[in-house]
Amino acid sequence: MFLFVLLCCVGVVHCYGNGLVSSVCGTMTPKHGSNSAQTSAAPFTVTADKTTFKEGDQITVLLKSQSGDQFEGFMLQARQVGSTTSIGTFSVMESNTQLLYCDAASRAVSHTSDSKKSSVQAKWTAPTSGPLGDIEFRATFVKSAATFWVGVKSSTVAYTGTSAPAAETVQSNPDCGKTKVCFSQPSNCDPTANTGCYFMAVQTSSNQSEMRIEMFGQADGYVAIGFSDDQEMGNDDIYICGKDSSGNLEVQHAISTGKTAPTILSLGNVTDIKTSLMNGNTINCSFTSRNAISMRSRATSTSEYYLMIAAGPSNGQGNIQIHTNKYVSSTKANLQDPSQVVTSAEEFPAIVKAHGCLMLISWMTTGSIGMLIARYLKGVAKDHGCCGKDFWFMAHVSLMALSVTATAIAFILVFSYAQDWSGGAHPVLGCLVMILSLIQPIVAAFRCEPNDERRFVFNWAHSFIALAIKGLAVAAIFTGLALFEEYEEDPWMLKVMGGFVTWEALIYVLQDLNLRAKKKGIKLF
């Protein structure tokens, strides 16, 4: 049994000893069981014998060891900077190398055996037509089954042909409404003047066989744009401009699967890719796509789609994580009609706003007044009331009952809308407020008589729960307002709420000082 397992393992790690690795052209990552690529600097280099090129030029590429280390296997491709698709064709110069089919014939070079190598050479020929741009040579080096490096890059080889791309990637938005369909958040923001602008533009040919796409936004990992037949994520055609494992920008084509990570597709017929990364988090990409827009992985014939922009972080391997910003157009956009005005959908529908309003009323108005009455106004109209209860008590119970009822309604509204757990601090705080709000009247219903010797237990418990509810409610309101403020250029709501909470806290402090002074026979107010 031991020998059987050992032989199985050997079969796994050496299954690509012959270098036939076309199945991993896109990722260039060996399938060596559970082993992952090294994150340290590779002891191997990729060098081109030219620093510039034009159509039809030939470049000799050298893969070489730096410090006596040898490699058993390799894969070499040429890609436009920021692209995940190979370009040009190779020819072999040594007997221990072979050509591979990657997107097209002879687009990559690999080893023919796992014999030790210190260096290999190959010759690359540039395309003679089509949109071209700066390129880089990328290689994977395999030292052993458990030790390999992915995406080792050469210096950039600049394109100097007749159709060299301009340095600027994203155009300013004067072309929006004329030749481009544009969508941005905030509405009509200019990506060349406002780094806080999330922007996409699409310029299509008359038959929609070709699209020039631009995207811009701030994110720690990626900015993505999508075409959808509805306003919900799922089964959408998307393009991602994000950082790879080396921190460089690349463009990827994917299909959205809803609440899970999108499925990365072959980049397909995407050319003329231009990328720019400013200040480490301002992402800027443009490219030409001749791919048909697809939903559920099937091409569609319509020219009207909801437009989406999303942005968020990515992990160290370049895999995108859940978005932190998402914007969807309010209506479908006709990609062949640049004259239309595309605006962002209401990020927070009326039901969510109603939830926020009810929580504000509960704990910044009725709840606050009810607490103030119970603590500081018991002496007002003492021995006057209704049904044997003082007015202060009736007012306190009525206001707090109203607060709990409004909180429950707000809680039900937002959960009926979301139908899921959204994550973050806000829902956690809201649930704690709801739970304590239900516990508080139950505790009050079973309180002992005012003259009972154990009454102090209820008094302390009632006060502590009330203080906890108030603190948690304020925190929930601030985190909720922060969600709203993500979509506003001026976060005025948080400032106003901060002022209101400060004023309310000051009222409590002054009233408490006055109450203590009265007990000592001192009149302050």
Side-chain angles (χ1 to χ4, degrees):
M1 178 61 73
F2 174 76
L3 289 174
F4 175 74
V5 173
L6 182 62
L7 288 171
C8 287
C9 292
V10 170
V12 170
V13 298
H14 290 294
C15 59
Y16 293 124
N18 58 12
L20 299 176
V21 290
S22 294
S23 61
V24 295
C25 284
T27 63
M28 299 184 70
T29 302
K31 293 182 178 179
H32 289 179
S34 61
N35 297 314
S36 57
Q38 302 297 303
T39 56
S40 59
F44 310 105
T45 58
V46 182
T47 308
D49 69 344
K50 293 181 180 179
T51 57
T52 62
F53 80 100
K54 59 184 183 296
E55 289 86 348
D57 279 0
Q58 289 190 324
I59 297 175
T60 299
V61 186
L62 174 64
L63 278 59
K64 187 177 180 181
S65 168
Q66 283 183 307
S67 56
D69 287 302
Q70 292 183 308
F71 53 95
E72 295 180 354
F74 73 93
M75 177 188 247
L76 172 66
Q77 294 182 20
R79 295 180 177 181
Q80 288 197 37
V81 175
S83 173
T84 57
T85 303
S86 55
I87 189 173
T89 57
F90 282 95
S91 56
V92 298
M93 299 176 65
E94 300 181 16
S95 59
N96 60 349
T97 61
Q98 63 184 331
L99 301 176
L100 295 179
Y101 187 100
C102 284
D103 301 315
S106 304
R107 287 280 184 90
V109 184
S110 74
H111 55 282
T112 58
S113 71
D114 56 4
S115 61
K116 301 289 186 180
K117 309 166 188 64
S118 297
S119 66
V120 292
Q121 283 186 314
K123 192 176 292 293
W124 179 79
T125 303
T128 57
S129 62
L132 295 176
D134 297 348
I135 66 163
E136 59 193 8
F137 294 96
R138 296 190 185 188
T140 292
F141 292 93
V142 177
K143 184 178 178 181
S144 66
T147 308
F148 54 89
W149 289 264
V150 176
V152 180
K153 298 178 182 179
S154 70
S155 298
T156 299
V157 182
Y159 173 63
T160 57
T162 56
S163 60
E168 186 180 358
T169 56
V170 170
Q171 304 297 317
S172 59
N173 63 1
D175 291 330
C176 294
K178 298 178 181 177
T179 60
K180 303 174 185 175
V181 174
C182 298
F183 172 51
S184 63
Q185 179 65 32
S187 295
N188 300 317
C189 63
D190 188 342
T192 62
N194 180 4
T195 56
C197 176
Y198 290 87
F199 174 87
M200 68 172 288
V202 183
Q203 184 174 3
T204 62
S205 60
S206 58
N207 59 359
Q208 205 176 313
S209 62
E210 179 178 302
M211 297 185 296
R212 184 65 186 172
I213 298 174
E214 305 166 16
M215 63 178 82
F216 180 97
Q218 279 193 332
D220 292 329
Y222 70 94
V223 174
I225 60 99
F227 304 94
S228 179
D229 53 6
D230 57 31
Q231 291 180 299
E232 300 296 326
M233 287 192 168
N235 304 312
D236 313 313
D237 194 304
I238 63 177
Y239 288 93
I240 303 165
C241 177
K243 297 177 183 178
D244 62 14
S245 57
S246 302
N248 298 313
L249 291 181
E250 64 177 354
V251 174
Q252 295 177 294
H253 186 204
I255 188 82
S256 169
T257 53
K259 295 183 181 294
T260 58
T263 301
I264 303 299
L265 307 174
S266 169
L267 192 57
N269 198 351
V270 173
T271 57
D272 195 17
I273 298 173
K274 306 173 190 176
T275 64
S276 172
L277 181 64
M278 298 177 288
N279 301 320
N281 67 347
T282 302
I283 295 174
N284 184 342
C285 289
S286 64
F287 52 90
T288 298
S289 172
R290 296 178 181 85
N291 298 326
I293 295 177
S294 63
M295 306 292 163
R296 301 178 185 270
S297 300
R298 295 194 300 270
T300 61
S301 57
T302 181
S303 61
E304 294 188 351
Y305 305 93
Y306 287 101
L307 304 182
M308 296 178 169
I309 303 175
S314 56
N315 62 22
Q317 288 72 47
N319 300 319
I320 70 172
Q321 306 297 295
I322 188 168
H323 55 269
T324 53
N325 300 79
K326 183 192 79 172
Y327 311 103
V328 183
S329 63
S330 58
T331 58
K332 285 187 174 182
N334 187 336
L335 301 184
Q336 294 183 331
D337 180 15
S339 64
Q340 66 188 309
V341 178
V342 183
T343 58
S344 181
E346 185 77 25
E347 185 64 30
F348 295 96
I351 192 170
V352 177
K353 291 182 177 179
H355 161 80
C357 290
L358 286 170
M359 292 300 289
L360 278 171
I361 292 170
S362 297
W363 299 111
M364 302 311 295
T365 307
T366 57
S368 295
I369 296 172
M371 291 178 186
L372 282 168
I373 289 173
R375 183 160 179 78
Y376 304 115
L377 300 178
K378 289 182 180 179
V380 177
K382 192 173 183 179
D383 299 326
H384 293 80
C386 179
C387 303
K389 301 294 182 182
D390 288 348
F391 275 130
W392 76 264
F393 181 80
M394 300 297 293
H396 170 72
V397 170
S398 299
L399 288 168
M400 298 315 295
L402 184 60
S403 298
V404 172
T405 302
T407 300
I409 294 172
F411 188 82
I412 293 168
L413 285 177
V414 76
F415 266 94
S416 66
Y417 167 75
Q419 297 182 350
D420 197 3
W421 185 262
S422 62
H426 182 71
V428 174
L429 293 168
C431 286
L432 290 174
V433 169
M434 186 70 258
I435 292 168
L436 292 175
S437 296
L438 295 175
I439 291 174
Q440 185 75 315
I442 296 173
V443 171
F446 290 95
R447 68 189 183 278
C448 51
E449 294 297 323
N451 297 326
D452 193 289
E453 62 180 8
R454 290 168 295 182
R455 176 73 177 204
F456 74 94
V457 176
F458 163 74
N459 291 340
W460 277 103
H462 196 62
S463 299
F464 176 78
I465 296 174
L467 185 62
I469 294 173
K470 180 65 176 180
L472 291 169
V474 169
I477 289 169
F478 271 102
T479 54
L481 289 176
L483 295 176
F484 275 87
E485 299 289 58
E486 287 181 4
Y487 306 94
E488 302 292 336
E489 293 189 80
D490 179 23
W492 63 270
M493 287 187 287
L494 282 172
K495 296 174 183 176
V496 171
M497 184 53 58
F500 183 85
V501 170
T502 302
W503 172 81
E504 186 177 4
L506 182 61
I507 291 295
Y508 273 97
V509 170
L510 293 176
Q511 288 288 353
D512 215 58
L513 289 174
N514 186 51
L515 184 65
R516 292 175 184 273
K518 281 185 176 181
K519 289 181 179 179
K520 295 180 180 180
I522 303 171
K523 187 175 182 180
L524 295 179
F525 305 108

